[in-house]
Amino acid sequence: MNFTLKIWRQKDAKSQGAFESYKVENISADTSFLEMLDILNNDLVHQGKEPVAFDHDCREGICGMCSLHIDGRAHGPGDGATTCQIYMRKFKDGATITIEPWRSAAFPVIKDLVVNRGAYDQILQAGGFVSVRTNSVPDGNAIPIAKADADESMDAAACVGCGACAATCKNGSAMLFVAARVSSLAKLPQGRVEGARRAKAMVAKMDELGFGNCTNTGACQAECPKQISIAHIARLNREFLAAKLED
Ligand code: FES
């Protein structure tokens, strides 16, 4: 398969970026999207040109590092998949593919397709610790948890913190990310101890970092590679309100 790639190139955070076009040829349909970029970079290096900077780590849909806007969609043309889980068979032979970094004020571009998602780390840090006894293996049945609660908690915990929710939201809201983190602990008795403090601290940090407000468009849920439900945002709102009323 052959493709024309329109890729956002930006020297550094201070430079103004622009799209540049590249051709990649004889790409197997079973090549992953990131492998296709590897092939392009190999060609660029052999031509003595600067390779395209892009983020990646696990390449298995686990770490959330591969964060690209592909043809206007976060993580490209696949539902429930990260960029590294997209294969070139998803595109038409001969297609022109537009590749951009996340576009969000809270995620400034560092270089080319790499953005700084440190804002999510700061929100996580604001969430703080969980009071659990460590060191020894706990008895699996010591704290009974209803299956439905455990399932909901695990669904929320699937968040990989990739940033697609905020980058997709027209308001630049990080509510789905914060909701997933708060909700995954709020559904478990172990997470209740610091529940009120966590909800308030994470929401306050999100606001401080300049993320926008949620207006329930549902775009975050539609583009989340882990298909996390906006029902968790409703839970975050309940947790936050209850914590404020306690105050
Ligand atoms: S590289 Fe880890 S999720 Fe894509």
Side-chain angles (χ1 to χ4, degrees):
M1 302 177 82
N2 301 325
F3 302 100
T4 301
L5 308 176
K6 267 181 67 185
I7 301 181
W8 185 260
R9 302 300 310 259
Q10 186 170 331
K11 195 162 163 275
D12 53 42
K14 293 200 177 100
S15 307
Q16 210 173 8
F19 282 106
E20 287 184 21
S21 290
Y22 303 92
K23 299 252 184 233
V24 283
E25 293 173 340
N26 300 319
I27 302 291
S28 158
D30 296 327
T31 305
S32 77
F33 198 84
L34 296 187
E35 286 168 344
M36 182 276 296
L37 289 178
D38 289 338
I39 292 168
L40 168 69
N41 275 347
N42 198 35
D43 290 348
L44 290 175
V45 168
H46 278 103
Q47 292 165 27
K49 294 181 181 162
E50 177 86 8
V52 177
F54 62 95
D55 254 342
H56 60 93
D57 191 1
C58 70
R59 298 198 177 204
E60 294 179 9
I62 299 168
C63 72
M65 289 292 286
C66 56
S67 310
L68 299 178
H69 250 130
I70 303 166
D71 286 342
R73 280 196 68 186
H75 294 295
D79 292 331
T82 52
T83 299
C84 61
Q85 295 173 305
I86 301 293
Y87 290 84
M88 298 317 293
R89 55 181 174 265
K90 279 274 183 190
F91 300 87
K92 282 206 175 94
D93 188 21
T96 296
I97 304 170
T98 304
I99 310 167
E100 299 173 77
W102 282 167
R103 302 293 190 189
S104 179
F107 300 144
V109 174
I110 297 172
K111 183 178 168 65
D112 295 339
L113 303 172
V114 180
V115 300
N116 181 353
R117 284 172 299 153
Y120 270 16
D121 296 330
Q122 290 183 56
I123 294 173
L124 277 184
Q125 283 165 3
F129 56 85
V130 177
S131 295
V132 288
R133 200 166 72 84
T134 54
N135 292 333
S136 57
V137 179
D139 177 350
N141 296 317
I143 306 175
I145 298 169
K147 172 86 166 63
D149 289 342
D151 285 350
E152 267 193 80
S153 172
M154 287 306 290
D155 286 349
C159 170
V160 291
C162 65
C165 46
T168 295
C169 175
K170 67 174 184 170
N171 308 316
S173 170
M175 278 291 271
L176 191 63
F177 167 72
V178 176
R181 299 306 191 187
V182 165
S183 197
S184 66
L185 291 167
K187 288 302 288 182
L188 302 177
Q190 297 95 327
R192 295 300 331 160
V193 184
E194 293 90 6
R197 192 204 58 77
R198 181 182 307 109
K200 285 186 293 183
M202 292 182 86
V203 168
K205 183 57 81 173
M206 171 177 67
D207 291 343
E208 177 195 319
L209 293 171
F211 288 100
N213 292 321
C214 172
T215 53
N216 287 315
T217 65
C220 53
Q221 175 182 274
E223 295 295 55
C224 173
K226 298 300 168 186
Q227 300 184 312
I228 291 172
S229 165
I230 54 174
H232 293 292
I233 294 180
R235 178 167 300 109
L236 168 62
N237 287 334
R238 287 197 296 274
E239 290 286 317
F240 181 77
L241 266 178
K244 283 288 185 189
L245 285 175
E246 258 178 47
D247 285 352

